[in-house]
Amino acid sequence: MTASLNARDITLAYGDTRIISNLSLAVPDKSFTIIIGPNACGKSTLLRGFARLLRPSTGTVLLDGADLHSLKPKEAARKLGLLPQSSIAPDGITVADLVGRGRFPHQNALRTWSRDDERAVAEAMDATGTTELSSRLVDELSGGQRQRVWVAMALAQRTGHLLLDEPTTFLDIAHQIDLMELFADLHREGTTLVAVLHDLNHAARYATHLVAMRDGAIVAQGDPRDVITEQLVEAVYDLPCRVITDPVSGTPLVLPLGRRAK
Amino acid sequence: MSIDERSVESTVESTVESTVDFGRRHWRIDTARVSTLIPVRSVLVCAALVVVIIVAGLASMTIGAYDVNFAAVLGAVFDPSSDPDVRQVVLEWRLPRVLFAVLCGAALALAGGIFQSLTRNPLGSPDIIGFGVGAQFGVTLMMIVFELNTYMFKAIGALVGGLFTALLVYALANSKTMSSFRLIIVGIGVSAGLGSLTSWILISVSLEKAMMAATWGAGSIASLGFDQLLPAAIVFAVVLVGSLPLNRTLPVLEMGDDAATALGISPGRTRLAAMVFGVALVALVTAAAGPISFIALAAPQISQRLTRSNTPMGTAPVMLTGAALVVVSDAVAQLVGVPVGVVTVSVGGLYLAWLLAAQYARRA
């Protein structure tokens, strides 16, 4: 198993507050890696470290053998994309314009819109089913449509690695599944995905590599079928539960016991 | 929706249809080194603005104590063998004023576009967040206290005053959150403070000095000649070239620091460059002409609506809108017999009232 994206002994901190100490994680190439864990376990912070949004105070994040944080920003942006948790769609921007902004790292002062840009944007909109929305204003779209447009922007960037920060938050169940299926398609087509997710059952169903975190450290990682156990869920979330096999996908399904069922 | 095979080969072509539907028409330039899409609407708007600038500029050259009609102005500008007296009035006295109007308008509008894009707020222009007043304070200090009255010294005063104010506003507003609303409120406070400091300096010096500062402080380009135009134009050209990359990076930064970083932009560095260039643009105008308010506030918004753009930052149309506004304001100022700054303040005041009302309505 090769891992062109990996963190070696990284410490991530906001000011003096250490969130993660000496953590190492190798993201298997072509995997759909999903990081789970309770609130404040450091999973989003870890993703920020991978996304160049937070520079490790010690250790390095390597991408293709080079220190990610010392690459030129545009060069890094051609290799590694991010779907941030919250982005701002400028007033009056159309879907095509927003998706087109994903091409920024491939452009320069003289080449602001090449045939490659055109093709990448058309394909990104096609893959996300947003082609029909192309000339619509982003402000006018529903939450589900808008998130698809942001995904299209990240796809137009054409990176081998794509990081997803809680991509399904604020969406209803149908749109969540819709989006997870889209990510699964991307994974099948060869993109390495790293996502932070809250929904354990979605994580178990879609991940090829599952990482469970608590208190800034990795508790377990591997195939979801091996990782998700009643003991692990209790150890990570302090949540008593039953784990059964999902009759639809054959992956583990977590059923919280709650107080009443004890 | 397919691309014509031939179109890939051609150098400049007009395409109504491309594989991506942006909801507007473009002209495509596609050569080995240069490839871009130019919105047809922007080109038309820019062309119309150039016509407005030329017509209003020529018309304003007919106004003044010495009567020159439109035909005579045209003759003086384009025909070297016309009446030398008329040529002197038009070319040496009135032409520099019009060129100054173009330069001031373009520079202020670009500064406004930069700061409005940076703050993601139509109120985030240097007039409102205090950098204009800061530049004015710097010039007053140079002129009155240090008695250095040449363009370069005033420009340095304006630049230092503007940058110092910018730092002060950012420090007080706590730049970590970059909440534009906070920035604007703090900016208004700092402007008021610096404004009263300027007044204090003026009432504590001799009458002649105060008069000189007051004339400059009303925002006038009427008395400026080619010897003041040249240094201002050189500084403008340098700052303009330096700020050109912001045309592409600022709209991306409008999507938030995380998205911008993911796309390969350094938010901190971009913000710093935008601030320095934006303040420099305000400073180079303030040093020459005094404060000409509301152009930075209004021009980017007008241009954005005319071109139906998704960002207040668009170098060419924004600068042309600003230039047209100042040239027309200057023509009006000549007719009424007041400094151009007075005209822009009067018109701009109404605009600001409307803008505040509209913003308030949207939030409520």
Side-chain angles (χ1 to χ4, degrees):
Chain A
M1 180 194 82
T2 54
S4 46
L5 178 65
N6 67 75
R8 286 194 186 160
D9 263 333
I10 57 168
T11 301
L12 294 169
Y14 294 107
D16 291 334
T17 322
R18 269 196 193 187
I19 311 290
I20 285 171
S21 300
N22 304 100
L23 179 145
S24 296
L25 174 64
V27 176
D29 284 349
K30 314 275 181 198
S31 71
F32 190 169
T33 296
I34 298 183
I35 308 170
I36 56 158
N39 290 335
C41 71
K43 57 187 187 301
S44 278
T45 305
L46 177 58
L47 201 76
R48 291 180 74 80
F50 278 128
R52 296 180 297 125
L53 296 174
L54 192 59
R55 185 183 274 273
S57 42
T58 64
T60 47
V61 179
L62 295 177
L63 178 61
D64 295 332
D67 180 359
L68 182 60
H69 288 263
S70 51
L71 284 180
K72 282 187 183 150
K74 271 176 112 174
E75 192 187 342
R78 285 192 290 264
K79 295 178 168 178
L80 182 96
L82 165 73
L83 181 68
Q85 207 178 111
S86 59
S87 304
I88 305 155
D91 286 339
I93 196 167
T94 61
V95 169
D97 279 321
L98 189 71
V99 177
R101 295 225 173 142
R103 296 301 294 169
F104 181 82
H106 301 272
Q107 296 166 339
N108 59 45
L110 296 178
R111 301 187 71 87
T112 63
W113 194 258
S114 67
R115 293 284 174 190
D116 286 343
D117 296 330
E118 184 108 14
R119 214 169 302 125
V121 167
E123 285 174 17
M125 289 200 293
D126 188 49
T128 50
T130 52
T131 309
E132 281 69 46
L133 306 175
S134 186
S135 61
R136 296 264 304 273
L137 292 178
V138 175
D139 310 326
E140 295 171 350
L141 304 180
S142 72
Q145 288 174 324
R146 205 172 303 159
Q147 189 66 334
R148 280 182 163 267
V149 171
W150 284 108
V151 174
M153 190 192 96
L155 289 188
Q157 207 174 332
R158 290 268 173 100
T159 55
H161 287 75
L162 181 57
L163 310 173
L164 310 162
D165 195 0
E166 297 186 24
T168 55
T169 316
F170 308 121
L171 296 180
D172 64 38
I173 179 82
H175 283 109
Q176 287 188 15
I177 295 297
D178 212 36
L179 212 53
M180 292 307 296
E181 290 290 332
L182 172 62
F183 296 141
D185 289 343
L186 291 178
H187 162 245
R188 267 192 293 278
E189 284 156 21
T191 306
T192 307
L193 296 170
V194 184
V196 165
L197 271 196
H198 270 299
D199 192 308
L200 272 180
N201 294 327
H202 287 177
R205 182 180 280 198
Y206 291 100
T208 60
H209 187 78
L210 191 70
V211 179
M213 286 182 69
R214 178 172 181 157
D215 300 330
I218 293 172
V219 179
Q221 59 178 315
D223 189 287
R225 280 167 242 246
D226 305 328
V227 173
I228 300 273
T229 60
E230 288 167 11
Q231 291 77 13
L232 177 104
V233 174
E234 176 136 23
V236 169
Y237 289 92
D238 293 327
L239 179 76
C241 67
R242 294 277 306 280
V243 173
I244 60 169
T245 301
D246 185 334
V248 177
S249 59
T251 52
L253 186 66
V254 178
L255 303 171
L257 291 179
R259 235 173 260 143
R260 217 168 291 173
K262 256 183 184 176
Chain B
M1 295 231 280
S2 66
I3 320 169
D4 187 341
E5 282 301 316
R6 282 169 299 137
S7 65
V8 181
E9 304 296 321
S10 68
T11 52
V12 179
E13 65 179 270
S14 110
T15 41
V16 181
E17 209 177 33
S18 58
T19 46
V20 175
D21 174 17
F22 287 91
R24 59 169 179 263
R25 293 181 58 207
H26 287 106
W27 277 313
R28 180 189 291 275
I29 296 174
D30 193 9
T31 64
R33 293 197 54 214
V34 183
S35 54
T36 189
L37 289 183
I38 303 170
V40 174
R41 195 183 170 89
S42 293
V43 176
L44 296 180
V45 166
C46 287
L49 287 168
V50 168
V51 171
V52 169
I53 291 167
I54 291 173
V55 170
L58 289 174
S60 89
M61 284 195 276
T62 64
I63 308 164
Y66 187 93
D67 217 19
V68 185
N69 65 29
F70 203 86
V73 168
L74 281 179
V77 174
F78 296 108
D79 178 13
S81 63
S82 59
D83 184 347
D85 287 349
V86 176
R87 277 178 66 82
Q88 186 179 11
V89 169
V90 171
L91 294 185
E92 284 175 33
W93 300 354
R94 296 183 186 173
L95 184 62
R97 195 192 71 223
V98 172
L99 293 179
F100 244 115
V102 171
L103 185 143
C104 291
L108 288 172
L110 185 57
I114 288 175
F115 282 112
Q116 288 178 20
S117 175
L118 203 58
T119 56
R120 301 183 199 104
N121 193 316
L123 281 174
S125 94
D127 315 88
I128 306 291
I129 49 182
F131 307 163
V133 184
Q136 200 182 339
F137 178 71
V139 176
T140 310
L141 218 56
M142 273 290 179
M143 268 168 59
I144 305 295
V145 180
F146 302 120
E147 302 195 6
L148 297 164
N149 206 0
T150 65
Y151 178 75
M152 278 304 164
F153 279 116
K154 284 198 278 188
I156 291 167
L159 187 65
V160 173
L163 284 176
F164 175 74
T165 313
L167 286 179
L168 190 68
V169 169
Y170 273 89
L172 287 175
N174 185 3
S175 60
K176 243 183 192 170
T177 53
M178 274 300 292
S179 146
S180 65
F181 190 66
R182 225 177 125 89
L183 199 72
I184 289 160
I185 298 294
V186 171
I188 291 173
V190 170
S191 314
L194 284 173
S196 33
L197 265 181
T198 308
S199 306
W200 177 66
I201 293 177
L202 289 188
I203 55 170
S204 44
V205 295
S206 74
L207 189 61
E208 302 117 75
K209 277 187 182 175
M211 283 293 284
M212 181 179 77
T215 317
W216 168 83
S220 171
I221 52 176
S223 59
L224 299 171
F226 277 113
D227 43 338
Q228 285 106 331
L229 183 65
L230 194 66
I234 292 171
V235 175
F236 176 59
V238 171
V239 177
L240 176 62
V241 170
S243 65
L244 276 180
L246 296 173
N247 205 20
R248 294 191 319 116
T249 53
L250 278 182
V252 176
L253 194 59
E254 280 179 47
M255 299 195 296
D257 285 7
D258 290 4
T261 306
L263 289 173
I265 281 176
S266 312
R269 213 180 293 168
T270 306
R271 212 171 276 138
L272 180 71
M275 222 166 74
V276 170
F277 286 122
V279 170
L281 285 164
V282 175
L284 78 94
V285 172
T286 309
I292 299 177
S293 302
F294 292 108
I295 300 301
L297 181 74
Q301 294 297 313
I302 295 173
S303 152
Q304 189 177 354
R305 278 167 184 75
L306 288 177
T307 56
R308 302 216 180 111
S309 163
N310 50 44
T311 170
M313 184 64 194
T315 305
V318 167
M319 291 201 309
L320 287 172
T321 308
L325 281 177
V326 178
V327 171
V328 171
S329 299
D330 175 58
V332 174
Q334 293 303 312
L335 270 179
V336 187
V338 294
V340 63
V342 175
V343 176
T344 63
V345 163
S346 317
V347 181
L350 290 174
Y351 167 76
L352 180 63
W354 171 82
L355 182 65
L356 284 169
Q359 281 232 319
Y360 190 72
R362 224 173 58 170
R363 224 160 258 173

